[in-house]
Amino acid sequence: CCLRRAWWRVLSTGVAPSSAAMELRQLRYFVRVVELGSMSRAALDLDLVQSALSQQISRLEGELATRLLQRSAKGVLPTEAGLAFFREAQLALRHVEQAGRAAQQSRLSGSVSVGLAPTTAAVLGVPLMRAMRERYPDVRLHMVESLSGHLSTMLNARQLDLSLLFDTHPARRWSVMPLLEEKLYLIRSRATVAPRTPLKVRMAQLKGLPLILPTGPHGLRSTLDAAFARARLKPVLAAEIDSLAMLMDAVDVGLGATLQPWAAVARFADAQQRFHLAEVDDPQVRRLNALCSLSDDELSPAALAARVVLADVARALVREGRWAGAALHHDS
């Protein structure tokens, strides 16, 4: 009776009487030992070292505070308590298998609209699509690449479910989670810079340098305008271009320099040969990437799942060093 109460507590809460979590693998190990009547044969069948299997069984007995197996030279037999536990463990494992089959037969489906700025899409786009296909193959992604100002408008108009944005001021009823910060770089054509040009630059050194930047309504330009104001510097604008591809083409042929995160050159396989990047040496000159979405009560289950996947993929890219110049936000 006490064992049954303890077991049902495990089933309902996942916590054994000793407050340690009882793992499904312990149940599988125990059931296999009883079925084969031998610790050594069970260890071989489970591809485990016998001492590791014995330790898991002992831990299980400790959590339940009762002896489950009677060990002898001929093998092992379940005690009376062990036999009762064996029947319940078999039932629990069958339920787990049935739950897994039900989950596979009722896979998450639907459509999710995701907005990414061109720089972000260059790094995050394909990894996100791959991760969604692996985790939720029946969810269809609608990917939108546009400048952050346009994405903000689309999110407010509910034309997007979620987006990575740099300026969250237009938010209405958004859910906003700061995700990562990117360093900004002075990016120039290698043909226009001298050998051994420093890899860091201060804002004051940009005085008089022709720059090619996006226009005012977009998140990066807001960050840069604030940086210029702090430095009491008026930028020299060679051009304003609201297309990353066209902007980088202009930089590539030497029409001016630009201030962008590393992601701006991520689509260039030969970026090191074509561009010179100098980090802006100012801790305040960073681009914050915030994961923004409609409020939770407006998101479908598919969109809620996609939001989790997007955050997971972005964090993994940063941790693995595949998103150069990016660091996780301290709250993410």
Side-chain angles (χ1 to χ4, degrees):
C1 180
C2 292
L3 176 61
R4 181 174 290 272
R5 281 200 301 271
W7 172 239
W8 284 112
R9 183 184 173 197
V10 171
L11 287 180
S12 61
T13 66
V15 179
S18 65
S19 298
M22 182 180 293
E23 301 174 8
L24 280 173
R25 64 175 178 170
Q26 290 178 315
L27 304 188
R28 293 192 179 99
Y29 294 168
F30 173 76
V31 166
R32 200 65 184 133
V33 168
V34 173
E35 288 174 342
L36 295 176
S38 165
M39 196 75 73
S40 58
R41 286 200 298 270
L44 188 63
D45 183 73
L46 293 166
D47 195 24
L48 289 173
V49 177
Q50 185 173 337
S51 59
L53 177 60
S54 180
Q55 185 179 29
Q56 289 292 332
I57 299 300
S58 296
R59 184 179 299 171
L60 182 61
E61 290 178 322
E63 290 172 356
L64 293 172
T66 189
R67 176 73 64 184
L68 298 176
L69 295 175
Q70 188 81 36
R71 295 161 176 81
S72 71
K74 295 182 179 180
V76 293
L77 290 172
T79 62
E80 185 177 347
L83 192 58
F85 188 83
F86 174 70
R87 288 193 293 265
E88 299 290 349
Q90 282 184 312
L91 181 61
L93 291 173
R94 281 198 297 271
H95 286 165
V96 169
E97 291 173 3
Q98 290 168 3
R101 285 195 296 270
Q104 291 174 346
Q105 293 167 2
S106 304
R107 292 191 299 192
L108 197 63
S109 63
S111 178
V112 183
S113 296
V114 180
L116 298 176
T119 47
T120 311
V123 183
L124 182 61
V126 171
L128 172 61
M129 289 186 280
R130 282 177 174 161
M132 283 296 294
R133 178 170 290 186
E134 289 173 4
R135 297 194 206 180
Y136 303 106
D138 294 335
V139 173
R140 186 176 69 256
L141 281 181
H142 171 214
M143 302 291 291
V144 177
E145 181 179 309
S146 186
L147 293 178
S148 60
H150 297 149
L151 296 176
S152 296
T153 301
M154 293 180 71
L155 190 59
N156 273 331
R158 290 172 173 74
Q159 295 171 329
L160 294 174
D161 293 305
L162 55 140
S163 181
L164 264 188
L165 299 175
F166 318 126
D167 181 3
T168 59
H169 292 306
R172 293 177 185 171
R173 293 185 61 224
W174 296 354
S175 170
V176 178
M177 180 180 70
L179 191 58
L180 58 92
E181 292 180 342
E182 293 176 283
K183 297 176 181 178
L184 295 185
Y185 297 84
L186 176 65
I187 304 177
R188 290 174 282 184
S189 168
R190 280 209 174 267
T192 66
V193 298
R196 298 183 180 177
T197 298
L199 297 179
K200 289 196 175 185
V201 62
R202 298 189 305 275
M203 290 296 296
Q205 294 174 279
L206 303 181
K207 185 177 181 179
L209 183 67
L211 295 173
I212 304 172
L213 302 175
T215 55
H218 305 293
L220 178 61
R221 182 60 182 274
S222 301
T223 298
L224 293 174
D225 285 346
F228 285 125
R230 286 194 302 271
R232 297 182 180 179
L233 179 66
K234 185 176 181 180
V236 176
L237 293 176
E240 291 182 307
I241 302 176
D242 285 344
S243 161
L244 180 65
M246 191 185 304
L247 188 154
M248 294 308 299
D249 284 344
V251 172
D252 193 19
V253 298
L255 295 180
T258 191
L259 291 163
Q260 295 278 346
W262 168 87
V265 301
R267 284 194 170 116
F268 292 90
D270 57 348
Q272 283 192 322
Q273 288 72 45
R274 295 171 73 165
F275 301 104
H276 181 276
L277 276 70
E279 179 187 337
V280 178
D281 192 11
D282 183 340
Q284 290 184 288
V285 183
R286 298 286 188 271
R287 184 170 77 170
L288 175 65
N289 288 246
L291 178 49
C292 304
S293 69
L294 301 179
S295 60
D296 288 9
D297 58 352
E298 294 182 86
L299 290 178
S300 66
L304 289 168
R307 188 173 65 182
V308 172
V309 174
L310 190 155
D312 287 349
V313 172
R315 292 186 185 109
L317 289 170
V318 173
R319 291 185 181 119
E320 293 165 11
R322 293 191 287 153
W323 196 327
L328 295 179
H329 191 270
H330 55 82
D331 291 332
S332 69

